Amino acid sequence: MADQGAHRRLGQHLLNVVRRQDAAIPADRRAPRTAAEMRLRQSKASGQQACGTCQGAGGRTVDSSSSGITRQGWVRCDNCQGTGRA
């Protein structure tokens, strides 16, 4: 049982370290990590107008949690059909 607490604390510590380092990177220099971030970057680079509903992301992330576990799921934008373009 004590082992689980130590692992949980280590995981939280590592997550905090990574988030701090990530926040130190300027937004325009940060590599896109999700398909939505990649689509947004591509639409901006190509000069295409982004979807007004999802701002070019093609959808949104929905968080849900139960029993101490947080889950994230992707919901596609209905207006642009997930393309991110108007």
Side-chain angles (χ1 to χ4, degrees), residues 8-65:
R8 202 166 296 154
R9 286 192 305 275
L10 175 61
Q12 189 61 48
H13 169 73
L14 293 174
L15 182 61
N16 291 338
V17 168
V18 168
R19 285 183 175 162
R20 277 195 310 269
Q21 290 175 346
D22 211 31
I25 301 170
D28 60 328
R29 302 279 302 161
R30 192 172 299 137
R33 292 187 178 92
T34 64
E37 291 174 346
M38 290 177 204
R39 279 194 296 270
L40 178 60
R41 186 173 281 188
Q42 285 175 337
S43 67
K44 285 181 179 179
S46 67
Q48 296 174 342
Q49 188 174 7
C51 171
T53 304
C54 66
Q55 284 73 45
R60 61 188 168 87
T61 303
V62 177
D63 293 333
S64 63
S65 62

